[in-house]
Amino acid sequence: MEQCRVRNLYQLEETIAAELLERVEYPWEALSEISDFIRKAGPSLDPEVYEKRGEDVWVAKSAKVAESACLNGPLIIDEEAEIRHCAFIRGSAVVGKKCVVGNSTELKNVILFNSVQVPHYNYVGDSVLGYKSHMGAGSITSNVKSDKTLVVVKGNGKKAETGLKKFGAMLGDYVEVGCNSVLNPGTVVGRHTNIYPLSMVRGVIPADSIYKNQNEIAAKEER
């Protein structure tokens, strides 16, 4: 589980939520604290840079938010982010600098690092998406198991009991998820990994890999 640690997945200088993630060993341990973090951090944000747009909702003045987007708190939208037509942010969300949240994309209980793109018909729930990660059109996180049991992270013959019923995906920095893929509960994807389109992903996927299917995960060639 070494590769699942926060320090091996993320550049913490690329999120306003660094203080929260620095307190935990594994990123999923922060999921239950996102709401409280936003409520505490919001009032301390620079009013020259951010404006309060509702109960526990802070939006950077440089962000672009479509009139048709739905913003529920607790929520922080950082500088130069773009929230497009009919995006639905249900709350407990940190949207980083220069992020793109696209048409009909839904967010719930998430941290999006800076420059994350979820631009087309995505669902992202109970998840942490690293710097410059990207989810292709129609790709989603599945955050509850069909049998409603607690999520266990599995990889390299090891298991980590999370104690969580809701847990989507932890994507490292620079991860690319192909169109119409499903990231099953408890998925952790290492930095710089590419997921093929139409993939069904579960467990721990190594960094610097190309995921074709559960039995075909290739290491990227060194450049």
Side-chain angles (χ1 to χ4, degrees), residues 102-143:
N103 171 35
S104 301
T105 290
E106 180 179 346
L107 303 181
K108 191 271 290 188
N109 201 44
V110 297
I111 296 172
L112 306 187
F113 275 60
N114 298 341
S115 300
V116 167
Q117 294 190 352
V118 283
H120 307 290
Y121 303 100
N122 306 110
Y123 172 68
V124 186
D126 302 286
S127 299
V128 179
L129 275 55
Y131 176 59
K132 285 194 174 181
S133 59
H134 169 257
M135 294 184 66
S139 61
I140 64 169
T141 64
S142 172
N143 60 336

Side-chain angles (χ1 to χ4, degrees), residues 63-124:
K64 296 180 180 179
V65 180
E67 291 185 6
S68 58
C70 178
L71 308 183
N72 295 322
L75 170 63
I76 294 174
I77 297 175
D78 214 337
E79 297 173 76
E80 299 183 63
E82 182 178 357
I83 314 299
R84 293 177 178 168
H85 174 69
C86 289
F88 178 26
I89 301 182
R90 287 168 52 188
S92 299
V94 176
V95 179
K97 292 179 173 66
K98 297 184 179 180
C99 282
V100 176
V101 180
N103 171 35
S104 301
T105 290
E106 180 179 346
L107 303 181
K108 191 271 290 188
N109 201 44
V110 297
I111 296 172
L112 306 187
F113 275 60
N114 298 341
S115 300
V116 167
Q117 294 190 352
V118 283
H120 307 290
Y121 303 100
N122 306 110
Y123 172 68
V124 186

